[in-house]
């Protein structure tokens, strides 16, 4: 019985050897073909770099980046198109670095890892994130510009101050606002994918925040602020700020659902600048004028002084 099974075992071994030989032969050709090329099904973001050399991959990425760079980052805000110039955010793509990462697939790590990567490459795509270099501060600045153009602040409960009379206006209306985090993440995704299609952005509803039930508390706070004039002193000089003037400095601000009084720093700065003209003294050096060996004029030195305007505000 054992002698009868021997030919079948030998036949099976021969077939298995033949399969392994053919597979090894095909794999050898596969390795030879990709010896200086990036493995199949390798992408840098949406850019296919498979089957080409590192240098060709870097060139392809550079060409794709240039198209993106020329088009700019197109933002469609509810039908209104704006373009962010990539130069404004110092946008750069490290094409050589990304091409090297693509080429390294199947070539880095120990040999089992390299072998596994080469075996699955024809069947399973590998996508490398298209990381780019940019200025986060400048991108935030570009979003600030868009926000300034399209944000519509809500009309909330607010102060109305006439002279020394404090009132509260209760007519409210919702506003529209750009979600800064959402638009930033969308822009970054487009940049990493080198996507030249417009980004569709919608404005979110911005609801009034103040609670009308506690508006009386806000009214009392403002009334207390303007309850009496403010006197500022510097040595013998006195500057009196009237209650009416203080009232013009009060703005509406919000802490959670509370309306609270705040000060208009621009108006405060303008007032401080005005009184500084009465306090500031420029430094003067001594000066002696002579004629024919005689002193005919003498100006004594004078120490200067400057009002600390930021502290005063």
């Amino acid at each position: 019985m054992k002698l009868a099974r021997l030919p079948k075992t030998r036949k099976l071994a021969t077939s298995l050897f033949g399969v392994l030989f053919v597979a090894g032969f095909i794999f050898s050709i596969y390795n030879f073909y990709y010896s200086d090329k990036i493995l199949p099904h390798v992408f840098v973001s949406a850019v296919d770099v498979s089957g080409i050399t590192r240098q060709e991959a870097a060139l392809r990425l550079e060409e794709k980046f240039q198209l993106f760079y020329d088009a700019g980052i197109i933002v469609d805000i509810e039908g209104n198109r704006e373009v962010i110039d990539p130069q404004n955010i110092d946008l750069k793509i490290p094409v050589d670095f990304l091409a090297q990462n693509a080429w390294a697939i199947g070539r880095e790590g120990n040999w089992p890892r390299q072998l596994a990567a080469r075996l699955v490459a024809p069947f399973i795509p590998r996508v490398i994130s298209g990381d780019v270099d940019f200025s986060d501060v400048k991108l935030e600045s570009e979003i600030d510009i868009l926000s300034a153009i399209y944000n519509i602040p809500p009309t909330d409960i607010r102060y109305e101050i006439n002279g020394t009379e404090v009132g509260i206006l209760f007519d409210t209306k919702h506003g529209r606002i750009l979600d800064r985090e959402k638009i930033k993440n969308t822009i970054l995704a487009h940049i990493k994918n080198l996507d030249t299609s417009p980004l569709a952005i919608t404005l979110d509803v911005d609801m009034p925040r103040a609670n009308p039930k506690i508006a009386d508390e806000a009214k009392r706070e403002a009334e207390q602020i303007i309850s009496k004039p403010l006197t500022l002193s510097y040595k013998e000089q006195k500057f009196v700020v009237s209650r009416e003037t203080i009232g013009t400095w009060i703005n509406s601000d919000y802490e959670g659902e509370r309306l609270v009084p705040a000060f208009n720093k621009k108006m405060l700065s303008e007032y401080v600048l005005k009184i500084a003209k009465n306090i500031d003294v420029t430094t003067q050096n001594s000066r002696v004028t002579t004629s024919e060996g005689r002193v005919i004029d003498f100006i004594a030195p004078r120490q200067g002084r400057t009002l600390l305007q930021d502290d005063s505000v």
Side-chain angles (χ1 to χ4, degrees), residues 161-186:
I161 301 177
N162 294 312
T164 58
E165 295 297 319
V166 178
I168 303 289
L169 297 177
F170 289 92
D171 58 308
T172 61
K173 183 180 179 181
H174 71 265
R176 306 292 303 282
I177 190 170
L178 285 172
D179 185 330
R180 296 180 61 87
E181 195 64 27
K182 180 180 178 181
I183 191 172
K184 182 178 180 180
N185 291 337
T186 304

Side-chain angles (χ1 to χ4, degrees), residues 117-240:
R118 288 174 174 268
L119 288 173
V120 302
F123 312 103
I124 302 176
R126 287 284 300 272
V127 180
I128 297 171
S129 175
D131 293 331
V132 294
D133 297 325
F134 67 97
S135 168
D136 189 73
V137 172
K138 291 185 178 181
L139 177 56
E140 289 283 355
S141 178
E142 291 294 317
I143 296 174
D144 285 341
I145 293 171
L146 295 177
S147 297
I149 295 171
Y150 291 99
N151 283 2
I152 303 172
T155 302
D156 213 325
I157 295 171
R158 59 205 181 278
Y159 289 111
E160 182 183 45
I161 301 177
N162 294 312
T164 58
E165 295 297 319
V166 178
I168 303 289
L169 297 177
F170 289 92
D171 58 308
T172 61
K173 183 180 179 181
H174 71 265
R176 306 292 303 282
I177 190 170
L178 285 172
D179 185 330
R180 296 180 61 87
E181 195 64 27
K182 180 180 178 181
I183 191 172
K184 182 178 180 180
N185 291 337
T186 304
I187 288 173
L188 290 178
H190 258 57
I191 291 174
K192 289 182 178 182
N193 289 323
L194 298 180
D195 190 346
T196 55
S197 64
L199 290 76
I201 301 295
T202 57
L203 293 163
D204 293 342
V205 174
D206 190 14
M207 298 298 294
R209 294 179 289 168
N211 184 351
K213 294 180 180 179
I214 54 176
D216 285 345
E217 180 184 336
K219 184 173 183 291
R220 287 193 297 271
E221 288 184 49
E223 287 173 338
Q224 185 177 3
I225 290 173
I226 63 172
S227 61
K228 53 186 177 181
L230 174 67
T231 301
L232 304 174
S233 301
Y234 176 75
K235 294 185 176 180
E236 70 281 358
Q237 298 187 69
K238 293 186 182 298
F239 306 91
V240 179

Side-chain angles (χ1 to χ4, degrees), residues 70-96:
D70 293 341
I73 304 165
I74 304 171
V75 183
D76 187 313
I77 303 176
E78 298 189 347
N80 300 295
R81 289 202 172 187
E82 303 288 345
V83 179
I84 298 174
D85 189 337
Q87 291 187 59
N88 291 350
I89 61 172
D90 298 338
L91 182 63
K92 296 180 180 64
I93 178 170
V95 292
D96 292 329

